[in-house]
Amino acid sequence: MQPFTTLTGTAVPLPMANVDTDQILPKQFLKTVKRTGLEAGLFYDLRFDEAGGELADFILNRPAYRTAAILVGGDNFGCGSSREHAPWALLDFGIRCVIAPSFAEIFYQNCINNGLLPVELAAGEVERISEEAQASPNGFVVDLINTQVRCPSGTIFCFAIGDIHKQRLLKGLDLIGDTLQYASDIDQFESEQSW
Amino acid sequence: MAGKTLYDKIWDAHLVATTDDGEAILYVDLHLINEVTSPQAFAGLIEAGRKVRRPERCLAVADHNTPTEGQDLGVEHIDDAESRTQLEALAANVAEFGIEFMPMGARQNGIVHVVGPELGRTWPGMTIVCGDSHTSTHGAFGALAHGIGTSEVEHVLATQTLRQDKSRNMRVCFVGEAPAGTGGKDFALALIGRIGTAGATGHVIEYCGPAIDALSMEGRMTLCNMTIEAGARAGMVAPDDATIAYLKGRSGVPQGDAWKRALDRWSKLYSDADARFDQEIVIDVSEIAPLVTWGTSPEDVIPVDGVVPDPAQLTDRDRRAQMEKALGYMGLEPGTPITSIPVDRVFIGSCTNARIEDIRAAAAIVRGRHVAAGIRAMVVPGSRAVMRAAEDEGLDQVLIAAGFEWREPGCSMCLGMNPDRLAPGERCASTSNRNFEGRQGRGGRTHLMSPAMAAATAIAGHIADVREYL
């Protein structure tokens, strides 16, 4: 997993509550057996018409936001299906950080496991970042080491993230390898389980 | 010290170790696997040269991509090449790692969350995971069961454990007697309508109360299934006589003396009287009407005798905008009585509502009646076993005579990964779990409701109040 330390990039505002993983990546793109190649499916029904033509109005299709690395979302971002294809598609598009007032649990965990940083901030703070990204999208900094979002205007927002998740992202840790260091504990647990 | 909740007890009993940085390593008793969320996990395992630690604790079932007709022709006759590839990948992976597999068309195939309990593989007190959010279904048996992502699927395959933060405890007590025409689906919608789709985020819910005691195992599965739509990690019901009666005699449960020992173990699975819950909610079901969704989130719930809500009455700007957007997508006007809304399709199926009790409820409504002109109505049983049971009872004939299509099992039009999906603009009465935009097909409009309500709607041709058909 690619470590996450500091990210500088374009922020795209998507101020919608309850963005579900069906919207982030519709079903037809779940049929892959790979983790990559999902860029075209990201927000498909919002980005493309039924014939596959781009919907010019949708913000990710606007020239200023096509290279966005930070998505500024709404409450309960990533609710619904457990599909890890949703964070894979975001990463494929180039999004490495989602800022929102709250996240659905499985989506949050899936982000952490893929080196995509979920940043939780108060609704008012997210709204201010969103407004700034509408006016001037470039030059946002997300600094995981100091747990800060720095806006181009100079405004700084500090965010909280669990230390375990922070360290995992900073190191780009192979979690399976790490857990396998506890193999003797797992062996013992299994030998003591009563059924 | 306060007593323990059921969740606390199961957690403690599965805690393998705590890592140096304080994270729990939790043992997984049963790992359910489907074809959609596992291929990348197996590929990762192979790439890293790792093995499946405990293949005997895994059960793989093909369900998301399976067409609901012509299953006997085999996977090679599925038109969609990508669906075929995914099903073939699962078959290859389970063969490589020695995992038990119920392929499409097999006698024990069906939706994994229907198959697990009916085979007796779901036990009280277990930890159960699957790369599917509706794994919460198994909580109906007093198991800690929840969905995981594909990276976690790979982690469980390799280690038989999960790294996990403990959730908070929430108790939802259903009191009163459920009126005729209401059941588990209405309980679930009532809760989600009350607390919202993020209302239980960070929590594990334990359901209790007289209305839960009186609820069948099928009804409890429906309720626990939709717990994820309230944002919770998992939902559970402490095992009782109904749980034991359901499990007894099923092939996957412990046999002989082991059954007796299991009963003893399971009898300790309850929340202590002095256990503390971080949140408590009480819902009186005695006054509820059958519930229906009007919008594009499972929290957009109204009673069947209600009207489509009016965004103009909301003061919160964001919520008003959200409601306007949902109404626009759904093609609905504020103030419209919900029972005046015509539908094009009716779907009775999914891991939420495709068990034998659900098929019986639908058949009881449509017996001697006929689906309204112009409506395409289908029943997709949750498993081959449900299908056989329904056919043994003659329910398939009742449904077919009423104008329903009687299909073969699978996830089907709950999410439309197989050929069953809505066309743009089509409106569907659906017994599934999500009414998200595009969930059942791009531009499709979904109204969630119980199987009996969906059956009544098929007969009426518009959303109907099942109480008029009882």
Side-chain angles (χ1 to χ4, degrees):
Chain A
M1 192 173 91
Q2 196 185 343
F4 189 112
T5 50
T6 296
L7 170 70
T8 302
T10 299
V12 58
L14 197 68
M16 291 156 56
N18 300 320
V19 168
D20 58 71
T21 53
D22 274 86
Q23 275 176 283
I24 298 172
L25 193 79
K27 60 190 130 283
Q28 63 269 33
F29 301 101
L30 301 184
K31 296 185 183 183
T32 177
V33 294
K34 300 195 174 75
R35 285 174 193 252
T36 52
L38 293 167
E39 185 274 339
L42 182 72
F43 290 115
Y44 189 86
D45 290 355
L46 297 171
R47 272 168 75 201
F48 302 100
D49 63 23
E50 277 158 47
E54 275 194 10
L55 295 163
D57 281 354
F58 186 61
I59 194 150
L60 282 175
N61 289 334
R62 308 222 300 251
Y65 297 100
R66 280 178 184 268
T67 56
I70 301 159
L71 191 151
V72 189
D75 254 322
N76 200 24
F77 192 90
C79 62
S81 155
S82 63
R83 59 188 70 165
E84 198 162 312
H85 310 66
W88 294 338
L90 286 163
L91 286 167
D92 254 3
F93 184 88
I95 305 282
R96 290 221 54 207
C97 170
V98 179
I99 301 171
S102 63
F103 291 89
E105 270 184 78
I106 302 177
F107 178 81
Y108 189 93
Q109 193 63 48
N110 285 340
C111 287
I112 298 282
N113 288 339
N114 285 279
L116 195 161
L117 172 65
V119 170
E120 234 171 33
L121 284 170
E125 296 173 323
V126 176
E127 197 173 322
R128 283 175 62 192
I129 297 171
S130 191
E131 280 165 5
E132 191 165 336
Q134 273 165 36
S136 121
N138 301 325
F140 283 80
V141 178
V142 181
D143 175 350
L144 179 59
I145 300 163
N146 298 298
T147 53
Q148 288 180 343
V149 176
R150 296 193 287 273
C151 301
S153 65
T155 315
I156 295 175
F157 298 98
C158 293
F159 62 89
I161 181 168
D163 200 48
I164 291 167
H165 290 159
K166 180 179 172 181
Q167 295 306 326
R168 190 177 299 165
L169 286 164
L170 286 174
K171 292 176 194 152
L173 189 69
D174 166 22
L175 198 59
I176 296 175
D178 195 66
T179 300
L180 286 173
Q181 293 179 35
Y182 296 86
S184 60
D185 294 287
I186 304 172
D187 289 340
Q188 185 171 348
F189 180 91
E190 285 179 333
S191 69
E192 288 171 3
Q193 218 184 15
S194 57
W195 62 62
Chain B
M1 205 180 92
K4 288 180 179 181
T5 65
L6 172 58
Y7 169 54
D8 295 337
K9 289 182 182 179
I10 299 176
W11 175 276
D12 291 350
H14 290 84
L15 190 61
V16 171
T18 304
T19 63
D20 296 338
D21 46 11
E23 196 174 23
I25 300 180
L26 211 62
Y27 197 74
V28 172
D29 292 322
L30 176 63
H31 184 191
L32 303 169
I33 295 167
N34 66 44
E35 78 276 19
V36 179
T37 55
S38 68
Q40 296 86 349
F42 282 112
L45 211 62
I46 291 165
E47 199 180 319
R50 289 172 176 143
K51 292 192 206 105
V52 174
R53 182 180 169 93
R54 296 295 299 271
E56 74 279 14
R57 287 190 177 272
C58 301
L59 173 63
V61 183
D63 56 12
H64 282 63
N65 282 281
T66 51
T68 53
E69 57 187 350
Q71 292 187 0
D72 57 339
L73 296 171
V75 169
E76 61 275 24
H77 282 90
I78 295 176
D79 290 335
D80 184 329
E82 288 182 300
S83 287
R84 213 164 52 228
T85 301
Q86 234 172 27
L87 291 164
E88 286 166 352
L90 181 58
N93 285 325
V94 295
E96 161 120 19
F97 291 102
I99 291 168
E100 188 179 2
F101 179 39
M102 277 68 174
M104 182 183 82
R107 193 177 158 74
Q108 296 179 318
N109 178 261
I111 307 173
V112 69
H113 308 310
V114 177
V115 169
E118 75 189 6
L119 291 178
R121 300 295 285 268
T122 300
W123 301 355
M126 271 185 163
T127 47
I128 302 175
V129 298
C130 175
D132 186 289
S133 60
H134 291 109
T135 310
S136 57
T137 311
H138 307 264
F141 293 81
L144 174 60
H146 58 86
I148 55 176
T150 297
S151 294
E152 291 175 304
V153 169
E154 186 178 338
H155 190 279
V156 177
L157 288 170
T159 69
Q160 203 57 37
T161 68
L162 260 189
R163 301 283 281 259
Q164 190 128 104
D165 292 330
K166 196 167 177 204
S167 301
R168 291 185 289 278
N169 283 286
M170 180 189 281
R171 179 158 60 186
V172 179
C173 189
F174 287 92
V175 299
E177 193 179 334
T182 65
K185 186 60 159 281
D186 304 288
F187 291 13
L189 291 173
L191 174 66
I192 300 160
R194 166 97 74 93
I195 69 172
T197 52
T201 301
H203 293 79
V204 165
I205 298 177
E206 181 177 347
Y207 297 107
C208 65
I212 299 297
D213 296 341
L215 196 60
S216 67
M217 289 313 294
E218 284 85 352
R220 294 177 192 181
M221 282 189 257
T222 300
L223 176 59
C224 288
N225 171 283
M226 287 199 68
T227 302
I228 182 68
E229 310 319 328
R233 176 174 291 166
M236 49 173 64
V237 178
D240 62 6
D241 291 347
T243 319
I244 307 302
Y246 179 98
L247 288 173
K248 195 171 183 188
R250 292 183 190 265
S251 60
V253 299
Q255 308 291 327
D257 281 350
W259 171 252
K260 286 180 196 147
R261 287 197 302 277
L263 290 183
D264 183 53
R265 220 167 45 236
W266 298 345
S267 70
K268 300 182 180 78
L269 293 170
Y270 55 83
S271 289
D272 295 330
D274 57 345
R276 268 197 41 241
F277 288 85
D278 301 283
Q279 270 202 73
E280 301 223 36
I281 290 169
V282 177
I283 294 179
D284 184 354
V285 298
S286 58
E287 300 293 321
I288 64 171
L291 296 169
V292 187
T293 61
W294 57 265
T296 54
S297 166
E299 70 189 29
D300 298 339
V301 171
I302 50 168
V304 68
D305 45 18
V307 298
V308 175
D310 185 355
Q313 293 182 353
L314 294 177
T315 49
D316 184 294
R317 184 182 48 133
D318 292 344
R319 287 195 46 223
R320 193 164 62 230
Q322 240 176 297
M323 186 181 273
E324 283 165 354
K325 180 168 176 282
L327 290 176
Y329 180 85
M330 293 297 289
L332 293 175
E333 290 297 322
T336 310
I338 196 90
T339 50
S340 71
I341 299 170
V343 301
D344 307 295
R345 307 279 298 267
V346 172
F347 171 63
I348 296 175
S350 86
C351 60
T352 309
N353 276 126
R355 297 179 185 82
I356 187 65
E357 182 183 277
D358 302 317
I359 312 292
R360 285 185 193 133
I365 299 296
V366 308
R367 189 181 292 274
R369 296 180 168 124
H370 204 277
V371 171
I375 295 200
R376 186 172 169 205
M378 59 201 274
V379 180
V380 180
S383 68
R384 288 263 153 204
V386 169
M387 191 174 181
R388 281 192 299 274
E391 288 173 357
D392 287 348
E393 294 178 29
L395 304 179
D396 60 322
Q397 292 308 315
V398 173
L399 289 157
I400 291 165
F404 280 83
E405 295 172 29
W406 179 246
R407 315 281 292 201
E408 294 177 77
C411 299
S412 181
M413 208 164 69
C414 175
L415 86 167
M417 278 190 74
N418 76 346
D420 308 335
R421 60 186 83 112
L422 298 179
E426 272 191 327
R427 189 180 299 281
C428 180
S430 179
T431 68
S432 55
N433 41 57
R434 292 188 174 132
N435 50 346
F436 297 158
E437 283 187 22
R439 169 81 177 180
Q440 294 192 293
R442 184 176 180 141
R445 294 159 168 168
T446 304
H447 294 274
L448 303 176
M449 61 189 77
S450 70
M453 281 285 291
T457 296
I459 302 301
H462 52 79
I463 296 178
D465 187 339
V466 66
R467 294 172 298 185
E468 292 164 16
Y469 291 78
L470 295 173

